[in-house]
Amino acid sequence: FGADSLPMLAIQLGGRHLPFILDFGAGITVVSKQLCDTLACTRAGRMAGFRHTGEVLELSLVSLPALELGPIGRTQLLAAVMDLTGFQQVTPVAGVLSLQLLEHVPFELDLRNRRLILNPAPSARDAENTSQTHVALIRQHPATLEIDVPIFLAGQRIGWAQLDTGSPQTYIHAWWKPLLRQHGHMLYAREQQSWTGRRDSVEYWSVRGLALLDPAVTRDSATVEVGGIVPDAVIGLDWLRQGVLSCKL
């Protein structure tokens, strides 16, 4: 991983090592228009998908040649083509890697130490300090994959939270504001613009008692963004950096 706010890793694609953003919330792997032109990608139709803010994205699909991440790889992986100029103005990036490549591959994501371990060896320490639970695998399209996990507030289940390594911030649906008032308070509100150009009014709250997977393992305090989103919650890097995520999809 690089030192940027979003996790980055090196992907081998078309015989080249290229920087990709690791984004579990993307659903589908994305390549830039420039990279797709140089690879002579095979067109594979179109799809429509939803961002967590509810925005609909119409995407062109292509079939990629051999794509590899360390010891794992796929051929003819279905990917979306997007204009990544906004990201490329901040850091060199050729694409976005979703969970597609990691399906059926056990992995351990340690964002604090910038490590993604594929097929990790089990240890006694891990067994003692790990919470295990079933998760929901969401597919907006046969080629897409996202992870949702149970989320709790003060011991009460408030629904499913999408794990999103492409989001710096954790979000809670505005529907839960009455419960948030009982266990926190609003800090401020502001209008902001997404990278697609949409403008929304959002609120930032300080909340006590949020928990993932296990309602008994709560956060003493968390700052979350509250607004109109599609899932009940989105868990961003601010929370995911607090621990190590082990998955076997």
Side-chain angles (χ1 to χ4, degrees), residues 26 39 48 66 84 101-102 151 160 173 203 215 217 226 244:
L39 292 174
L84 299 178
L101 194 62
L102 299 177
I151 184 170
W160 292 95
H173 198 292
E203 299 175 354
V217 183
V226 179
V244 176

Side-chain angles (χ1 to χ4, degrees), residues 160-229:
W160 292 95
Q162 180 191 84
L163 301 185
D164 189 357
T165 57
S167 172
Q169 179 71 44
T170 290
Y171 300 80
I172 302 291
H173 198 292
W175 170 262
W176 295 106
K177 280 205 287 187
L179 189 60
L180 293 176
R181 291 190 185 98
Q182 299 177 31
H183 303 283
H185 60 277
M186 191 179 78
L187 299 172
Y188 59 93
R190 74 177 186 186
E191 187 176 277
Q192 63 185 30
Q193 181 173 317
S194 73
W195 59 270
T196 62
R198 171 170 159 173
R199 303 191 70 87
D200 288 298
S201 178
V202 298
E203 299 175 354
Y204 287 84
W205 286 63
S206 176
V207 183
R208 305 178 305 277
L210 280 172
L212 284 181
L213 306 175
D214 184 349
V217 183
T218 63
R219 295 187 65 184
D220 293 335
S221 178
T223 299
V224 299
E225 186 174 310
V226 179
I229 57 176

Side-chain angles (χ1 to χ4, degrees), residues 38-97:
T38 61
L39 292 174
C41 300
T42 304
R43 294 186 180 275
R46 297 181 63 83
M47 68 166 282
F50 290 91
R51 298 190 69 236
H52 68 258
T53 53
E55 295 164 275
V56 179
L57 297 179
E58 293 281 347
L59 302 171
S60 297
L61 301 178
V62 295
S63 180
L64 297 177
L67 184 149
E68 297 178 7
L69 172 63
I72 63 173
R74 290 270 297 274
T75 57
Q76 305 304 312
L77 182 73
L78 208 61
V81 181
M82 290 183 63
D83 182 357
L84 299 178
T85 304
F87 291 106
Q88 293 167 337
Q89 290 174 348
V90 178
T91 186
V93 60
V96 176
L97 184 70

Side-chain angles (χ1 to χ4, degrees), residues 21-30 47 49-52 57 59 80 82 95-100 138 140 143-147 162-167 195:
I21 297 170
L22 179 64
D23 186 354
F24 287 175
I28 191 167
T29 293
V30 174
M47 68 166 282
F50 290 91
R51 298 190 69 236
H52 68 258
L57 297 179
L59 302 171
M82 290 183 63
V96 176
L97 184 70
S98 73
L99 279 165
Q100 285 170 291
I138 307 298
Q140 296 187 40
T144 67
L145 182 64
E146 302 164 20
I147 302 178
Q162 180 191 84
L163 301 185
D164 189 357
T165 57
S167 172
W195 59 270

